[in-house]
Amino acid sequence: KKGWSPQQNLFYGFLTYVLVGFLLLLIPLFSKVHAPALDHLFIATSAVSTTGLVTISIFDTYNFFGQFIVMALFQLGGIGYLSFTTFMILSTTRKITVWHKKILSTEFTLPNTIKINDFLKSVILFTLIMETLGAILFFIAFKNEGMPTLEAVWSSIFHSISTFCTAGFSLFNDGFTGYVDNHFINIIISMLAISGSLGFIVITDFGMWIKHKAHKLSFTTKIIFYGFVLLLAFGTTFFYFFEPSITSLQGDSRFLSAFFQCMSAMTTVGFNTVDFGAFSQAMLIICIFLMYIGASPSGTAGGIKITTLTAILAIVKSRLQGSKNVTFLGKKIPMERLYIATSAFIFYTSLIVIGTFLITFTNDLKLDDIVFEVSSALGTVGISRGITSDLNTFGKWVIIFLMFIGRLGVLTFGLAIWARKSTNENNEILIEDIAV
Amino acid sequence: KKGWSPQQNLFYGFLTYVLVGFLLLLIPLFSKVHAPALDHLFIATSAVSTTGLVTISIFDTYNFFGQFIVMALFQLGGIGYLSFTTFMILSTTRKITVWHKKILSTEFTLPNTIKINDFLKSVILFTLIMETLGAILFFIAFKNEGMPTLEAVWSSIFHSISTFCTAGFSLFNDGFTGYVDNHFINIIISMLAISGSLGFIVITDFGMWIKHKAHKLSFTTKIIFYGFVLLLAFGTTFFYFFEPSITSLQGDSRFLSAFFQCMSAMTTVGFNTVDFGAFSQAMLIICIFLMYIGASPSGTAGGIKITTLTAILAIVKSRLQGSKNVTFLGKKIPMERLYIATSAFIFYTSLIVIGTFLITFTNDLKLDDIVFEVSSALGTVGISRGITSDLNTFGKWVIIFLMFIGRLGVLTFGLAIWARKSTNENNEILIEDIAV
Ligand SMILES: [K+]
Ligand SMILES: [K+]
């Protein structure tokens, strides 16, 4: 709609998806058993935000059609309603309006060097290829485990999309804990989730790099890639050596599950092969830290993103060295970008504190479980210590808000709500600003 | 010493105080009973940093001379070793060197409008007057409670200095819980602690404002004053209505103890009239938030300070309104100052997370108790859920480091350790930078 800022369009767009999804899920035709309306709203928000937290079992509550609606919601949420609608426009008019390009650059936070149209085609193509490939591999894996063919078909499609969109919804009530020793399934999930979460931008950049030897990887891609590998090694090492529920595992399973749980928190896919409820306090902190960061700004992951972390680290490092300019790996980071990164950091951290306080204030649950749940919701991760269905009505509303804000991005959310009515020129500024 | 930056001088100055204090406390002549060396180091650091966390009872461990050394340490730490040494120079040479002025402006983060010499005299005079007044009032109060005269003399001097320097050391093993109903003692402590923590700069500004009608209160003073009153009202209201161990109290005591506990966390004096170990989880979060903020940058309080909070709020507010300039109450905040505020915020928050992780990783204690203890140490508050003496050797070292860094200020600490060797011109910049 004209007159709205790009941020407001995203806000109302996601809100519309949530509400339509909620109304569809309310229809008794799609449910096996009756569930309270608030739980349907929770599931709709969780799906659109690709979080994967659930207050009711997806498999036990919804029939095939209900499950299909949930899948459609996280597919839409995952690709982003803008890339989807713009694809519609593209395929019918073969021309994106200037205004739609602006929205896209808000949604995907692209540097100007990559062209919008090429990018969008790659997004859709990449998504389709990965999800199809994922579904085929899942099907083979599930058949190997002796699942009936029809069930395996549906399960493989559902879990492939759920993994690539880092939604983390599962048709199994205990997640993937039954497959902790299945190397194949562990690898399928890891590859799909990493691809989706690292983001189209990084993958496109890599793709061009592989195709054309002349193409140089962008600074952003390098930062994201190195940051991701470093954090993954860091988390996996801690889980492997210090998490009792993982050190007790034998052989390959020990490394695999350390890697899987870390990958799950970082990519914010949110699947689990061991029970997070059994995690030790110290490893919970590592886990919360990983969820807090997330992965790439152009992917499906939540969190403050590796790029923001980089800016934050650069600020502190430069400050402590008493240097006036903020540099990272020798490159000077523009003041404006630092301003955005710090705003995101402060706002994100405040939301976690406020969310934690509100739930602690109204629910008789343990503080560590609550911080974990809140971080998981705002980071759109979806792992839980098992308290989601124990939350009271107010607590569920808090998590619903956090998931929604987390998917939208804290700054986009803030700008949608509080931004002053602005001229076209200001809109340009807003868009440039949000590119962290 | 020449060749050191002001930050390095502060660092080594405080370190010297800690080490001298530690060596003195080691001397068996000053102890009633033997205590491990690490505990003496803990007490020395806690005293110099005016934190007040203790692993051993001050009264049970040290005799009068030992208690006197502890008092001397927190008196030195409270006024700051620089104002003290510069006072020595002042009274002998009647002239401060340019270089010493620089250090002073680092320590007290003065705006340039207040002259150093006048300021320093006010600091010393103000401290002496307040501590004498406090001691007299404490003496009356303790005599009223039936304390023997000699004991009352010593107790009133010790607690007056301890309160004004917001050290929070007490000769009573259960703090001031025995005086929860004593209005007089509650008021003495509150007045002394607020004076000390609001800071010499605010008090001086107020003093000039009262004396000379032409004098206008500085923007900083107004921000600190309004911020302090607002946070005090906020915390007191929550404790009064929602903290079970306070709502169970009758009449005046209920309001008084709500106010006292909030005042104690904010001024970072760290005395308590109710048991923080009994606080509910939600109120712990409020408490941690208050300790996190602290009070004025020129006072004896720890925390990130109200001024930093203001800058942080201004950044988020301006960002969310999509505005390019960061303003607060209509005033534009300079970019440089924002940069310092965000660095402090990020570094402070990181230290709390890292400290919490290190203790959780090595001690089998509850997460909420650990976060509380770590926030209390870095904020130099000194309230505890009672786990201080349960910490293992590594845990005690972590708290020792946090108290030391907290007193020095996170940025001063960072600059002392990591700042590049800098020219004189750079030194000027460093000093200007730290004035938040
Ligand atoms: K997820
Ligand atoms: K204290």
Side-chain angles (χ1 to χ4, degrees), chain A residues 46 49-53 162 165-169 264 267-271 300-302 376 379-383:
Chain A
S46 183
S49 66
T50 69
T51 304
L53 285 173
S162 180
C165 295
T166 66
F169 276 89
S264 180
T267 61
T268 74
V269 63
F271 284 135
T300 51
S376 178
T380 71
V381 183
I383 52 181

Side-chain angles (χ1 to χ4, degrees), chain A residues 26-196:
Chain A
L26 271 182
I27 299 171
L29 214 63
F30 302 141
S31 294
K32 293 177 185 167
V33 291
H34 173 77
L38 183 63
D39 289 320
H40 290 300
L41 179 66
F42 194 99
I43 297 295
T45 315
S46 183
V48 171
S49 66
T50 69
T51 304
L53 285 173
V54 290
T55 50
I56 47 175
S57 156
I58 298 294
F59 186 78
D60 296 344
T61 310
Y62 301 109
N63 59 23
F64 170 75
F65 300 103
Q67 293 169 18
F68 189 88
I69 291 166
V70 172
M71 186 184 79
L73 290 175
F74 61 67
Q75 172 76 88
L76 284 171
I79 310 188
Y81 89 103
L82 271 168
S83 81
F84 190 79
T85 49
T86 315
F87 175 69
M88 286 291 135
I89 294 165
L90 250 185
S91 54
T92 50
T93 68
R94 305 200 64 80
K95 192 178 131 228
I96 305 185
T97 62
V98 175
W99 187 80
H100 267 91
K101 275 192 187 168
K102 276 194 194 172
I103 298 183
L104 270 175
S105 69
T106 309
E107 164 76 333
F108 294 111
T109 65
L110 281 175
N112 290 327
T113 44
I114 297 179
K115 289 209 191 99
I116 298 283
N117 287 11
D118 290 352
F119 169 74
L120 199 62
K121 283 182 203 156
S122 310
V123 168
I124 307 290
L125 197 67
F126 181 63
T127 304
L128 287 178
I129 291 172
M130 292 303 291
E131 287 177 356
T132 308
L133 187 68
I136 293 167
L137 294 174
F138 264 125
F139 180 78
I140 297 166
F142 288 144
K143 280 303 284 181
N144 275 349
E145 291 274 334
M147 201 184 273
T149 306
L150 210 65
E151 195 187 329
V153 168
W154 176 228
S155 260
S156 55
I157 294 171
F158 187 94
H159 288 105
S160 176
I161 296 178
S162 180
T163 309
F164 184 73
C165 295
T166 66
F169 276 89
S170 175
L171 298 175
F172 317 129
N173 285 338
D174 53 355
F176 281 86
T177 50
Y179 300 104
V180 60
D181 293 321
N182 189 319
H183 292 20
F184 189 36
I185 287 183
N186 273 265
I187 291 165
I188 298 169
I189 293 178
S190 302
M191 275 179 47
L192 277 176
I194 291 173
S195 309

